[in-house]
Amino acid sequence: MEALEDAAFSSGAALARLDAVLRRDNLPQALLRDRLALRAAEACMVFAGRQDRAGDLRDAVHLLRPGDLPGPAGETCLAWRRAVARPVGLRALHRALPDCAPAQIAVWLDARQGAPIARAAMVLEAVLTDLPRGEVPALILADAVLAQALGWDHLVPLLAPGLQRADLRKRGDELRLACHRAGAASALQAVRDAADLARRAAHLLAVAPKLRAKGAKDAVAMFLTQEAVAPAALPLSDRAARRLCDRLVALGAVRELTGRETFRLYGL
């Protein structure tokens, strides 16, 4: 079994590398966080024993009509997206977790001491002790504490994608070891994601001057902040939005994410 000290060293090195990447000017920060939020939500679906995957989560959020309820998958994905959208703080966390009272969130966040991953593991354990089926709030709050400990303004989802379902039943040193492993693996994956998104964002910005549609500039800004975008959400008419998306695909600047002929979604 890997020693806790060795795992802590590995996670520390991976987080330090990610920290350096997050400080680069050419990185579309909001887009990276949105992509990681989707991955965290997908992991939470696995923890809950559900079959929903990334495509299902995108549909549950981006194809909602006014008055529709998002369902469990949509609620989970929206919670993560809200958690990463604003700087870490009690108000932002309550917005992401409206069923958790702000006073209770504050109590859970105080259950921490030591190094960043150790603090996150303590919060994870504290929430799951009080809410045995509260994987979503537990993981969001654990990542919030991790971000605060590392001096990051925004929550960066790292623990959920790297943990296994059985890890959430662990406590004490076993849980800390699992969190160190998860943090290390997810941080390195986030570094790879960041490099990919920085390259794709640079290409989108390079082809943007070729776009003549009114509202194209605002549309490009949406693609640079959201992991997936529905044409109907763009600040253009339906026809113009579809034409813009087709143009961006032809230019290699965005991808069609669903493989469908209708109700399509696009993203970097």
Side-chain angles (χ1 to χ4, degrees):
M1 180 177 178
E2 183 180 11
L4 185 58
E5 293 79 7
D6 294 336
F9 179 84
S10 297
S11 66
L15 290 170
R17 184 176 176 187
L18 177 59
D19 179 75
V21 169
L22 292 177
R23 299 183 188 280
R24 294 177 182 170
D25 294 334
N26 67 332
L27 176 64
Q29 302 269 355
L31 178 56
L32 175 63
R33 293 195 302 270
D34 203 39
R35 174 180 283 193
L36 296 178
L38 176 69
R39 192 169 296 150
E42 187 176 22
C44 287
M45 291 295 98
V46 174
F47 299 150
R50 296 181 57 89
Q51 299 301 313
D52 309 84
R53 295 299 179 262
D56 305 304
L57 293 166
R58 288 191 185 108
D59 286 352
V61 169
H62 295 286
L63 300 184
L64 272 180
R65 295 179 179 179
D68 286 350
L69 296 176
E75 289 177 355
T76 297
C77 194
L78 285 171
W80 278 103
R81 296 188 76 215
R82 289 169 182 155
V84 304
R86 298 183 179 183
V88 178
L90 189 58
R91 182 176 297 180
L93 291 171
H94 177 56
R95 179 175 177 267
L97 303 169
D99 292 335
C100 298
Q104 181 59 70
I105 292 176
V107 170
W108 283 326
L109 293 180
D110 280 339
R112 63 186 192 271
Q113 63 182 13
I117 290 286
R119 296 185 191 185
M122 290 188 70
V123 171
L124 184 59
E125 182 170 344
V127 179
L128 289 176
T129 298
D130 292 340
L131 299 175
R133 299 184 66 180
E135 296 91 352
V136 174
L139 289 161
I140 286 177
L141 294 178
D143 272 329
V145 166
L146 181 60
Q148 290 176 329
L150 292 168
W152 297 343
D153 291 336
H154 289 75
L155 184 155
V156 179
L158 293 176
L159 293 179
L163 289 169
Q164 301 297 317
R165 190 175 184 180
D167 291 332
L168 299 180
R169 296 192 293 270
K170 297 175 180 177
R171 296 294 182 265
D173 285 350
E174 287 190 346
L175 180 58
R176 283 192 287 276
L177 178 59
C179 288
H180 279 300
R181 289 171 172 168
S186 293
L188 293 178
Q189 181 59 53
V191 168
R192 291 189 287 269
D193 287 336
D196 175 62
L197 291 178
R199 177 179 58 81
R200 292 179 182 276
H203 181 55
L204 175 58
L205 290 172
V207 305
K210 300 179 181 180
L211 306 174
R212 302 300 181 210
K214 185 178 180 179
K217 182 177 180 180
D218 292 335
V220 167
M222 290 181 66
F223 283 114
L224 290 173
T225 57
Q226 298 185 36
E227 187 273 338
V229 177
L234 295 175
L236 300 98
S237 67
D238 288 346
R239 182 180 180 183
R242 290 194 297 270
R243 291 180 62 184
L244 176 65
C245 290
D246 289 342
R247 174 69 169 151
L248 288 171
V249 170
L251 291 169
V254 303
R255 298 172 294 162
E256 201 288 310
L257 302 173
T258 68
R260 299 186 297 239
E261 293 298 322
T262 58
F263 301 106
R264 289 180 162 183
L265 297 173
Y266 298 82
L268 265 65

